[in-house]
């Protein structure tokens, strides 16, 4: 019999504190600190030399020197013309569903009337310019174009730019044609054949042109950068986050599955493999109170893994320290463990899935039932697949329309509304040793807010008391 691929973490019979439960969860190490020394010089070089540095880094890392760092619009349209009709139909359906969900996510402005002449309103304002990063490492990700661009468009972002590495099989240094075709479908015309940390630098600082086709300015700086990427992209986003917005510093992808004895072990195994295919560091974790199910899942993995195309990558991922089968005393402990793990993707394959869903506090996205596998969310469910990783779902949310908007309060008090609070504001300000704050307000109602000896009388005369 083959040796089991996934290790076992046995929580049965153990009463764990919150800290112990968090520590028991399998994790992939992010390791951004190790990449910092490599990334920082890239950021500085792009900031200083612009397009010239971008071409140098593309030649070094992607082994091609793009003639056009900004992809000509005719190349984007040509990619759509040559797109396989079946793939085009799939992309268009994905866009349609994502747009339907995104439109319903747009937050509504509101106001609160607190007293006569006293109103606080809130406006949701789109971020003006956004840079969307689309990775191109072990796979091609037109789905990432959709997941980033659609909610940004629904939010009303007026300026969208996409950066993605040149395709390995394109001697002109252009990005993958399916990615370009997806941009065409979405109406995104500003696309750059730039990958890695250098793309993040371009978005953060902007980039001056170095050749006639670049123009004087190749790329204007953005206000926020979103999109997944490798360790170098994540590190670059972290380093520029002090002055440009980012969605998150994403780690390796992950799946958690809560399953009981009613789950189909073959489907559970297939779902674990599907996530492991992404990356050798991808995390795949099964939470179950049924040892027999755990054994059957292991048997299915032993059968299935050698048959899948990326078997070596999958095996490395499933056998790594970031993956495990977690055995629990019951469904309650499975739920507690899953909440501690806070998976990017959490599948629920239990007898009463609805009851379990209601008890999930921490997950990037929840996939309810055996017919809602994670790849559905990756491509076509209408949900967004850019989700918090590494346990950050305990406090962070996935990408959506809200990512590309900012709430701004509008304070609308008239004379009557402010007058009712003036004396109290002054008292509050004085208690904080900020008397000029109070004087600022009182100046609207009394003759001399600096005459403290008569101030109380002035307040009474002005009707503030």
């Amino acid at each position: 019999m083959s040796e089991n691929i996934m290790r076992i973490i046995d929580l049965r019979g153990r009463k764990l504190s919150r800290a112990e439960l968090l520590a028991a969860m399998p994790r992939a190490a992010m390791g951004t600190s190790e990449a910092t020394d490599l990334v920082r010089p890239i950021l500085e070089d792009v900031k200083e030399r612009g397009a010239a540095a971008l071409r140098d880094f593309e030649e070094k890392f992607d082994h091609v020197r793009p003639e056009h760092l900004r992809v000509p619009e005719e190349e984007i349209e040509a990619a759509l013309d040559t797109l396989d009709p079946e793939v085009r139909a799939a992309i268009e359906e994905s866009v349609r569903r994502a747009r339907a969900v995104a439109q319903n996510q747009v937050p509504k402005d509101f106001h609160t009337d607190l007293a006569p002449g006293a109103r606080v309103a809130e406006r949701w304002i789109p971020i003006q310019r956004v840079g969307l990063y689309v990775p191109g490492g072990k796979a091609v990700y037109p789905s990432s174009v959709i997941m980033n661009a659609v909610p940004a468009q629904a939010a009303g972002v007026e300026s969208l730019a996409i950066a993605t590495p040149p395709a390995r099989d394109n001697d002109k240094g252009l990005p993958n044609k399916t990615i370009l075709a997806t941009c065409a479908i979405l109406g995104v015309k500003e696309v750059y054949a730039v990958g890695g940390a250098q793309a993040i630098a371009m978005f953060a600082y902007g980039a001056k042109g170095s050749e006639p086709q670049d123009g004087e300015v190749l790329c204007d700086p953005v206000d926020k950068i979103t999109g997944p990427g490798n360790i170098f992209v994540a590190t670059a986003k972290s380093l520029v986050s002090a002055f440009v917005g980012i969605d998150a510093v994403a780690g390796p992808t992950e799946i958690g599955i809560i399953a009981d004895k009613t789950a189909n072990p073959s489907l559970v195994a297939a779902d674990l493999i599907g996530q492991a295919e992404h990356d050798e560091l991808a995390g795949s974790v099964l939470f179950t109170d049924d040892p027999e199910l755990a054994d059957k899942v292991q048997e299915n993995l032993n059968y299935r893994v050698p048959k899948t195309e990326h078997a070596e990558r999958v095996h490395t991922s499933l056998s790594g320290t970031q993956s495990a089968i977690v055995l629990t005393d019951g469904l309650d402990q499975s739920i507690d463990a899953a909440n501690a793990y806070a998976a990017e993707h959490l599948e629920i394959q239990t007898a009463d899935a609805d009851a379990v869903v209601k008890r999930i506090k921490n997950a990037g996205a929840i996939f309810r039932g055996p017919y809602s596998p994670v790849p559905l969310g990756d491509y076509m469910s209408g949900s967004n697949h850019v989700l918090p990783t590494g346990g950050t779902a305990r406090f962070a949310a996935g990408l959506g329309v809200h990512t590309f908007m900012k709430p701004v309060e509008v304070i609308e008090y008239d004379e009557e509304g402010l007058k009712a609070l003036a004396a109290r504001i002054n008292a509050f300000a004085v208690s904080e040793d900020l008397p000029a704050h109070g004087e600022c307000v009182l100046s609207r109602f009394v003759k001399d807010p600096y005459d403290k000896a008569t101030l109380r009388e002035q307040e009474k005369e002005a009707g503030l008391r």
Side-chain angles (χ1 to χ4, degrees), residues 279-423:
D279 191 284
E280 288 85 353
L281 291 177
S284 298
V285 182
L286 169 63
F287 304 94
T288 185
D289 60 349
D290 185 14
E292 186 176 346
L293 175 72
D295 289 342
K296 289 180 179 178
V297 169
Q298 293 274 33
E299 290 173 10
N300 272 275
L301 291 174
N302 289 335
Y303 170 76
R304 285 173 171 268
V305 170
K307 294 180 176 295
T308 194
E309 182 174 347
H310 301 295
E312 185 176 351
R313 184 193 308 165
V314 170
H315 191 283
T316 300
S317 170
L318 292 176
S319 61
T321 57
Q322 75 275 14
S323 298
I325 295 176
V326 179
L327 293 177
T328 66
D329 282 323
L331 185 59
D332 288 347
Q333 192 179 41
S334 291
I335 293 170
D336 288 344
N339 278 326
Y341 183 59
E344 177 189 16
H345 313 87
L346 180 65
E347 291 187 357
I348 310 296
Q349 299 193 33
T350 61
D352 190 350
D354 287 336
V356 175
V357 168
K358 290 177 182 177
R359 295 176 61 188
I360 298 303
K361 297 180 175 64
N362 305 320
I366 301 170
F367 297 79
R368 181 210 174 279
Y371 294 99
S372 302
V374 168
L376 174 66
D378 287 340
Y379 299 116
M380 219 167 287
S381 68
S383 63
N384 202 291
H385 78 201
V386 183
L387 301 166
T389 60
T392 59
R394 289 188 294 129
F395 54 83
L399 188 141
V401 171
H402 57 276
T403 307
F404 302 100
M405 303 188 81
K406 51 193 178 184
V408 177
E409 290 181 328
V410 180
I411 294 85
E412 308 173 39
Y413 275 56
D414 64 13
E415 182 178 359
E416 180 185 7
L418 181 60
K419 186 175 183 178
L421 297 177

Side-chain angles (χ1 to χ4, degrees), residues 62-148:
D62 292 318
H63 313 297
V64 63
R65 193 173 184 88
E67 177 186 356
H68 294 279
L69 287 168
R70 178 165 176 171
V71 180
E73 289 185 24
E74 58 267 26
E75 294 285 359
I76 298 173
E77 293 301 324
L80 181 58
D81 293 338
T82 60
L83 185 64
D84 180 294
E86 191 170 345
V87 175
R88 177 170 181 166
I91 290 172
E92 288 176 339
E93 181 64 15
S94 177
V95 169
R96 186 188 72 79
R97 290 172 181 254
R99 279 192 170 137
V101 173
Q103 288 299 331
N104 278 331
Q105 284 184 341
V106 178
K108 304 294 189 294
D109 295 350
F110 69 89
H111 68 266
T112 304
D113 290 320
L114 298 157
R119 169 178 288 185
V120 174
E122 186 168 270
R123 291 182 57 214
W124 283 86
I125 302 174
I127 291 171
Q128 190 173 352
R129 178 165 164 79
V130 174
L132 312 175
Y133 186 75
V134 177
K138 293 184 174 66
V140 176
Y141 295 103
S143 56
S144 286
V145 180
I146 298 168
M147 299 299 166
N148 282 271

Side-chain angles (χ1 to χ4, degrees), residues 70 128-134 144-145 148-149 152-153 157-164 183 187-194 199 202-203 218-227 404:
R70 178 165 176 171
Q128 190 173 352
R129 178 165 164 79
V130 174
L132 312 175
Y133 186 75
V134 177
S144 286
V145 180
N148 282 271
Q153 290 173 332
V157 173
E158 62 185 60
S159 178
L160 287 178
I162 287 178
T164 189
C183 292
V188 178
K189 297 181 179 180
E190 186 180 350
V191 183
Y192 296 91
V194 182
M202 177 186 71
F203 281 152
L218 172 73
C219 178
D220 285 321
V222 303
D223 302 311
K224 190 167 191 176
I225 302 169
T226 70
F404 302 100

